[in-house]
Amino acid sequence: MLLRAALTSFRRGETLAAQPVSATFDVSLKHLTAYNAVCGFGLRDALPLTYPHVLGFPLQMKLMTGAGFPFPLPGLVHVANRITQSRPLALCEPLEITVSARDLRPHPQGMQVDVVTSVSGVWEGVSTYLRRTGGSSGSSEELQRPVGSAVWRVPGDIGRRYAAVSGDRNPIHLYPLSAKLFGFKRAIAHGMWTKARCLAALEGRLPEAVTVDVRFKKPLLIPGRVEFSARENGSGWEFAVWGKGPHLVGSAQDLTP
């Protein structure tokens, strides 16, 4: 998979012609238990909100390394993720997963595209990827540091542990040396691990029908110490992870009629 990803480095196209890919999955209790342990979830009959993203990851890689996807994978930045579910997915149900790409569009720093994972008609994950080609951030947004509600010490092996359960073995997440080859001082935590860790902290307090939208900000260098904050608003929750600056900002919105 890493070799296929490396071979996409020669892509220079700006058209989107990737065809959707699909498969049926049965949840492995052993794998789910390992995922929950890495991310902080308890074991329940309902799947954690972020778990279908991991199940769909092989299909995501198949689509992104296949013909018709416009960007090379090296250097591609995961800038945002939105998950919407109309009901929880059960541990025992077979899952029909389809991955597609849509909405190729300009960004002040380059181009971006959405990779969409749909599961059994009740769960959808939209990962937005940015291909930087220059320019400025195009945003004057200034985020105010929220009051932390918990301190997390993120261990240096969390990238390798999450890679083992997610299949995402990008070298920037594994070891300091492999991360330095891509310009990072140390390895960085996966964005989807950070999101999962936030939702594990809110477990039992989110509605069953919900949209959870996050933006990934500064890379979270590991090992590291960060503050998690969460506050309830009128229709859900706002939450964030901060170190010296913001690593993730997000919201959870209740979709219950």
Side-chain angles (χ1 to χ4, degrees), residues 28-187:
S28 161
L29 181 58
K30 180 179 179 181
H31 182 261
L32 177 61
T33 301
Y35 176 85
N36 288 349
V38 171
C39 298
F41 291 105
L43 187 59
R44 303 184 177 197
D45 290 336
L47 300 181
L49 194 62
T50 48
Y51 186 67
H53 175 87
V54 167
L55 290 183
F57 184 74
L59 295 179
Q60 296 161 22
M61 289 299 296
K62 182 177 180 179
L63 179 138
M64 296 170 75
T65 58
F69 192 77
F71 301 145
L73 267 63
L76 203 60
V77 183
H78 192 184
V79 294
N81 177 268
R82 183 179 70 253
I83 292 173
T84 300
Q85 72 171 20
S86 58
R87 65 163 177 83
L89 292 163
L91 170 62
C92 60
E93 66 180 296
L95 304 177
E96 296 284 345
I97 301 181
T98 298
V99 175
S100 59
R102 69 188 185 201
D103 199 12
L104 180 66
R105 58 199 185 275
H107 182 276
Q109 291 180 290
M111 296 288 291
Q112 59 186 0
V113 69
D114 293 336
V115 175
V116 182
T117 304
S118 302
V119 182
S120 300
V122 299
W123 186 101
E124 181 182 81
V126 181
S127 291
T128 301
Y129 291 95
L130 169 66
R131 173 63 176 172
R132 289 196 176 108
T133 57
S136 65
S137 64
S139 173
S140 58
E141 178 186 27
E142 293 185 10
L143 298 175
Q144 184 175 358
R145 186 186 188 100
V147 177
S149 54
V151 174
W152 295 344
R153 299 189 182 277
V154 184
D157 67 346
I158 197 64
R160 296 189 294 277
R161 290 169 57 201
Y162 186 77
V165 297
S166 69
D168 184 353
R169 293 181 172 86
N170 189 323
I172 64 176
H173 302 302
L174 302 182
Y175 297 97
L177 182 58
S178 61
K180 285 179 181 178
L181 295 175
F182 293 88
F184 295 97
K185 293 180 180 179
R186 302 194 300 275

Side-chain angles (χ1 to χ4, degrees), residues 236-250:
W237 290 80
E238 295 176 358
F239 56 92
V241 176
W242 282 66
K244 292 182 178 179
H247 298 298
L248 175 151
V249 292

